[in-house]
Amino acid sequence: MVLKSDDVNYLVYRYLRESGFLHASYIFQFESQLHKNEQEQPNVEPGSLIRVLQKGLQYMDVETHLNEDGTARLCTAPFSLVGKHVCSVHTETRKLGDKAPRGTEPSTHGGHTLVHDAKEKRVARPVENEDESEHMDVDVPDAERDANRGDSGKRRRGRMVEAAQMLHGHTAPVFLCAWCPGQPSVLATGAGDGTARIWDMAHPTDSTVLRHDATDATTRVDITSIAWNEQGTLLATASFNGQLRVWTTLGEQRQVLRQRRVPIIALRWNRKGTLLATAYLDGSIALWETSNGQQRHEFRAHSGCVLDVDWLDNTTFASSGSDKVIRVWRDFDPQPIKTFSGHKSDINCVKWHPGGKYLASASDDGSVKVWSMTESLVCDFVGHAQQVFLVKWLPRSDKAILASASFDGTVRVWDVHANSCTRVFDAHTKPVDCLAFSSDGRHLATGSFDRKVCVWSIKDGSLLKSFTADDVVHDVQWAPKGRIAVALASSHVAVVHWGIDLVLVSTALAGIRRSTGWRFNSESISDSKSVQEYTDKYLFIGEKAINYAAWQMKAFPKYFTKD
């Protein structure tokens, strides 16, 4: 048996990534020099470190309670990784391998319970006659389940399973996804296999691979950030080993910017798409001119790691770091024009309001703060019980509403004008690490380590739909035309259709008319308020759209007329 420090370090690194400690994982990978390891790391299963610790703990348990004659002392005292174990007094013994009496199974030990529960929750629910790799579980609201009752009035299964469009190609956990603003059917993804990919949903089986190989062509590097410019013409990608590249929508490499060999944590385009800001692990920020690929300026921004950057306009941007401060910078000015302090721990995220009036920040201290260039601290929102990982503004400049995602498993919606929390979404059971508003601001999608994606109504706070994936959800992004992209730790990308998709709806309705003779009540699908009402409530996904729509036709006949 050979125990290598690099193998141990890699398992620790994977544990940090899978647990959502992204910034800690970057620092650990950098300090342990994992990215310089000449041997390519294997694709280990999620939770490998926990399973190794579990087996070691079980061995220690057996070794501690084993008598010389081969019998085992019965002990119900907790056996954990830390602290000295003190056995409870029992005179009864049993042979090793015999079944323990009720109440003395290993699962009663405190150290074992957490591991067993976590392992069981990672297993997807079995679905009869379905291919698990191609589907997500869809929870159906009560109104739809009521319509699906049999003649006896008893409810059938409390959920439906529909096909989600699964994109295959990555060979490691997918951390990032981003829809192209100029072409709503084009999706970019970034993963731990050292590649980004561009997908065209018109041909989802094919993707363009954007490689970020190390110089020795053997070591894999994580893609840490991807971003489209607002014009939707260029995609920027960054990797842990400091590679920064710009691509066209067709996947053609436009530029390779000078590699600094320092991990890039975040990157953002300015509004015109002329400048690119990159945030580094060493506390610096670089501005790049995309016209010639040259570095325009470098800021010594923070005393610790820079965790996020966000542009206010074409020349001004804000940055946050592990030094607990926020700074606002202007192009070519080496000194910050504004510094905000007040957080008590790492500041994970900063986001400017769509109208530019406010700047929101999220911190490990559990708070969400809203700042103004004229008034400094505007709101100090406290309510989360653990770290706040992300904040996003409602995409409306006339409102001042933002949502925050926390490791306490909740999402909160805050109103700056009312200085209060208006909604608390608590359907998740594990940390929430991603969220996205729909383009019209009516819905919010959230993703969590519990493998669920939830879609919420901003108007009344109701849970409209929830989807259970095959692994941890790392990112969710909402396309303008109702698609939700989901980045999964299983190396897959799921695309779920939500709301009105005219092409898909037209196909489903045409199929119903051909097969049943029933037609939709409206002459014009694109202008029909009925279609809007109909598709706002019910989901069309995948190749089963016609069958699903036909089932809804029977449940809701008021939308259809016989030819």
Side-chain angles (χ1 to χ4, degrees):
M1 182 178 67
V2 179
L3 185 63
K4 298 181 179 179
S5 60
D6 286 342
D7 294 340
V8 175
N9 289 339
Y10 184 69
L11 289 181
V12 173
Y13 164 72
R14 284 294 302 271
Y15 168 77
L16 292 172
R17 292 303 301 259
E18 293 162 9
S19 300
F21 303 112
L22 301 183
H23 304 131
S25 71
Y26 294 148
I27 295 173
F28 180 80
Q29 186 183 30
F30 185 68
E31 292 184 345
S32 63
Q33 302 295 300
L34 277 174
H35 61 296
K36 293 185 178 179
N37 186 7
E38 295 181 356
Q39 182 179 359
E40 184 176 3
Q41 297 291 350
N43 288 325
V44 300
E45 295 181 2
S48 293
L49 179 62
I50 296 299
R51 283 192 290 275
V52 170
L53 292 175
Q54 178 191 17
K55 291 179 180 180
L57 192 64
Q58 290 173 339
Y59 178 84
M60 292 169 59
D61 192 349
V62 171
E63 184 183 43
T64 300
H65 299 114
L66 185 65
N67 297 319
E68 293 183 359
D69 59 359
T71 60
R73 297 188 300 275
L74 297 180
C75 173
T76 57
F79 200 96
S80 64
L81 285 172
V82 295
K84 184 178 179 180
H85 176 72
V86 179
C87 289
S88 58
V89 179
H90 284 277
T91 58
E92 183 181 359
T93 62
R94 59 185 173 89
K95 291 183 178 180
L96 190 63
D98 290 347
K99 186 177 181 180
R102 180 174 297 179
T104 61
E105 290 86 348
S107 59
T108 59
H109 294 328
H112 295 184
T113 304
L114 176 62
V115 175
H116 288 313
D117 290 347
K119 183 176 180 181
E120 182 177 355
K121 289 180 181 179
R122 283 197 297 270
V123 179
R125 289 182 289 178
V127 180
E128 297 178 4
N129 301 322
E130 297 286 351
D131 181 2
E132 290 184 3
S133 65
E134 296 293 326
H135 293 79
M136 298 174 70
D137 291 349
V138 180
D139 298 328
V140 180
D142 292 340
E144 293 182 54
R145 290 199 297 265
D146 292 341
N148 198 28
R149 293 182 181 180
D151 295 336
S152 62
K154 296 181 179 179
R155 289 189 180 185
R156 298 177 184 175
R157 293 199 309 170
R159 62 179 175 84
M160 290 186 63
V161 178
E162 293 292 333
Q165 201 166 13
M166 304 298 288
L167 307 181
H168 304 281
H170 286 294
T171 58
V174 184
F175 301 121
L176 308 159
C177 54
W179 293 100
C180 178
Q183 302 180 46
S185 64
V186 174
L187 174 69
T189 57
D193 58 6
T195 70
R197 287 175 180 259
I198 295 178
W199 312 79
D200 187 343
M201 299 311 298
H203 307 284
T205 56
D206 300 323
S207 63
T208 303
V209 182
L210 316 179
R211 299 193 178 278
H212 298 69
D213 295 326
T215 54
D216 57 9
T218 59
T219 304
R220 288 180 175 174
V221 292
D222 288 351
I223 303 302
T224 55
S225 189
I226 60 175
W228 293 97
N229 62 358
E230 289 192 6
Q231 294 72 31
T233 57
L234 296 174
L235 173 71
T237 59
S239 65
F240 184 82
N241 66 349
Q243 295 183 53
L244 179 61
R245 302 185 178 185
V246 179
W247 317 78
T248 68
T249 55
L250 298 177
E252 300 168 346
Q253 187 170 278
R254 170 90 172 261
Q255 291 169 337
V256 179
L257 286 78
R258 179 171 59 85
Q259 185 174 346
R260 298 183 55 199
R261 299 192 180 279
V262 178
I264 300 174
I265 305 301
L267 64 84
R268 300 288 187 273
W269 294 88
N270 69 347
R271 298 296 174 86
K272 287 185 177 180
T274 55
L275 295 177
L276 192 62
T278 51
Y280 291 88
L281 187 68
D282 63 0
S284 64
I285 296 174
L287 288 189
W288 305 86
E289 295 183 1
T290 56
S291 59
N292 55 24
Q294 298 299 311
Q295 181 173 303
R296 182 183 182 93
H297 190 71
E298 181 177 338
F299 301 88
R300 301 306 303 174
H302 294 270
S303 59
C305 172
V306 184
L307 300 180
D308 199 14
V309 291
D310 194 44
W311 287 90
L312 171 62
D313 47 36
N314 292 309
T315 59
T316 307
F317 64 93
S319 65
S320 64
S322 58
D323 57 1
K324 310 174 189 177
V325 298
I326 301 168
R327 292 191 170 96
V328 182
W329 307 86
R330 186 168 290 138
D331 184 20
F332 278 127
D333 191 340
Q335 299 300 320
I337 61 174
K338 191 78 172 180
T339 299
F340 299 117
S341 59
H343 281 295
K344 299 178 181 179
S345 189
D346 297 7
I347 304 173
N348 298 313
C349 178
V350 284
K351 285 290 180 291
W352 289 101
H353 178 262
K357 184 177 181 180
Y358 303 112
L359 177 67
S361 59
S363 171
D364 279 354
D365 63 14
S367 71
V368 174
K369 299 184 189 297
V370 179
W371 315 84
S372 168
M373 294 293 287
T374 57
E375 304 174 34
S376 292
L377 184 62
V378 177
C379 295
D380 187 5
F381 293 129
V382 178
H384 286 295
Q386 295 184 38
Q387 305 100 308
V388 184
F389 185 73
L390 181 67
V391 289
K392 285 191 177 180
W393 290 95
L394 183 79
R396 289 184 56 179
S397 58
D398 60 329
K399 302 284 185 180
I401 295 173
L402 68 156
S404 57
S406 171
F407 274 33
D408 64 7
T410 68
V411 173
R412 289 177 176 261
V413 179
W414 313 89
D415 189 332
V416 174
H417 294 161
N419 195 20
S420 64
C421 176
T422 60
R423 302 272 184 236
V424 178
F425 300 142
D426 58 358
H428 292 291
T429 58
K430 290 187 177 181
V432 182
D433 61 340
C434 51
L435 57 81
F437 282 101
S438 59
S439 58
D440 59 8
R442 299 170 60 193
H443 304 116
L444 179 70
T446 60
S448 168
F449 293 173
D450 63 6
R451 302 185 292 116
K452 282 190 175 181
V453 175
C454 295
V455 179
W456 308 86
S457 168
I458 295 300
K459 182 178 181 180
D460 59 17
S462 60
L463 176 61
L464 302 176
K465 293 280 182 181
S466 65
F467 311 92
T468 303
D470 60 350
D471 212 328
V472 169
V473 178
H474 283 309
D475 197 9
V476 292
Q477 294 294 333
W478 213 311
K481 291 190 176 181
R483 295 186 181 101
I484 302 174
V486 184
L488 301 171
S490 61
S491 78
H492 302 144
V493 179
V495 178
V496 182
H497 297 272
W498 170 264
I500 186 164
D501 187 322
L502 296 181
V503 175
L504 200 56
V505 171
S506 299
T507 302
L509 296 178
I512 291 175
R513 187 169 186 177
R514 286 194 303 269
S515 60
T516 66
W518 289 83
R519 63 178 175 83
F520 195 75
N521 288 336
S522 175
E523 295 292 332
S524 173
I525 292 179
S526 60
D527 296 330
S528 171
K529 292 183 179 179
S530 296
V531 170
Q532 183 69 52
E533 177 187 358
Y534 183 73
T535 53
D536 276 351
K537 293 181 180 179
Y538 308 110
L539 191 67
F540 294 84
I541 39 183
E543 297 176 354
K544 296 186 178 181
I546 293 177
N547 293 334
Y548 190 48
W551 170 79
Q552 293 180 41
M553 182 197 71
K554 296 178 182 178
F556 304 93
K558 70 176 184 177
Y559 295 111
F560 298 89
T561 302
K562 188 72 173 179
D563 280 340

